Amino acid sequence: MKIYTYPRSRSLRVLWALEEAGATYESVRVDLFNPAADVKSPHPLGKVPFLIDGKVSVSETLAICIYLCEKHKNRSLYPASTEEKALVNSWLSFAISDLEPPIWCLLKQVVFTPAEQRSTDIMNYLRNEAGKVISQIRFKPTQAWIAGNNFTLADIFLAHTLSWAKVCGLEIAKEMDSYILKAMSRHAFLKAQQVNNL
């Protein structure tokens, strides 16, 4: 199993899922922004992450993660029961559709756009939109994680996106900050981060 990656990208989510699942894999770092690079992603558009597992090729972060979870059914990342899976899917949808867009766009302004090219109006709008979505997240005191007592794929996507929010300087409540720290203190995350940054 090969996963094509690039540092500081959504590749980390796939590597995190692989580590949580205890999967055996080979990580291949792509020189994403070098047209003459020796190592390129087999993705038709050159994107990462991209997974090759024998004759199976999977693109897009969530699709790759679900494929991995379904392949490793003995793990709790993606529950087998319809009811539990529905809750995980709800949080995955929230993380990708509602939470990530304003935070990712703000991150591009803060991290990847030269200071003289940044738009204050756009950044203020995105901060406001991201803040509204972040305020909708509620943690149940009776649950260890966002979708129940097991750490799931929803936690990978939610915690990773919220870590971007922190990089952007968005206000994060103490409870939410503790949640991010707890998720990113897991051995699987630390190993995935190490692999992703090689």
Side-chain angles (χ1 to χ4, degrees), residues 8-168:
R8 297 201 309 171
S9 72
R10 292 177 184 85
S11 303
L12 179 59
R13 298 175 185 180
V14 174
L15 293 168
W16 192 353
L18 282 161
E19 291 294 335
E20 292 284 353
T24 300
Y25 67 93
E26 178 187 353
S27 175
V28 181
R29 179 175 172 171
V30 174
D31 196 351
L32 201 59
F33 300 105
N34 180 3
D38 292 332
V39 182
K40 296 182 180 181
S41 172
H43 187 290
L45 301 177
K47 293 168 60 177
V48 295
F50 189 74
L51 179 78
I52 296 180
D53 184 20
K55 294 181 179 180
V56 177
S57 297
V58 189
S59 60
E60 301 305 324
T61 307
L62 179 58
I64 296 171
C65 287
I66 290 176
Y67 172 82
L68 294 171
C69 289
E70 290 180 336
K71 182 166 181 167
H72 298 272
K73 295 182 185 296
N74 61 327
R75 303 292 175 165
S76 63
L77 273 184
Y78 199 57
S81 82
T82 305
E83 183 179 343
E84 289 177 299
K85 191 178 288 184
L87 187 55
V88 170
N89 285 339
S90 294
W91 278 110
L92 283 169
S93 179
F94 172 84
I96 292 171
S97 301
D98 297 332
L99 185 64
E100 185 175 306
I103 294 175
W104 172 239
C105 289
L106 180 58
L107 189 71
K108 286 192 287 186
Q109 285 278 323
V110 172
V111 176
F112 303 111
T113 304
E116 66 277 6
Q117 295 177 21
R118 294 174 194 160
S119 167
T120 303
D121 289 341
I122 289 175
M123 291 174 69
N124 287 339
Y125 171 78
L126 292 170
R127 282 192 185 97
N128 184 53
E129 290 300 301
K132 285 191 287 189
V133 180
I134 290 170
S135 71
Q136 295 170 12
I137 300 170
R138 298 283 185 274
F139 296 97
K140 292 184 179 179
T142 56
Q143 294 180 176
W145 297 100
I146 195 65
N149 285 318
N150 290 322
F151 180 88
T152 68
L153 198 55
D155 294 296
I156 289 177
F157 278 70
L158 190 67
H160 188 233
T161 307
L162 287 172
S163 72
W164 288 352
K166 289 183 67 175
V167 171
C168 292

Side-chain angles (χ1 to χ4, degrees), residues 167-186:
V167 171
C168 292
L170 292 168
E171 186 174 342
I172 299 292
K174 185 177 180 181
E175 181 185 29
M176 196 170 295
D177 197 41
S178 297
Y179 166 78
I180 299 166
L181 181 61
K182 182 171 71 166
M184 295 189 164
S185 296
R186 294 174 68 86

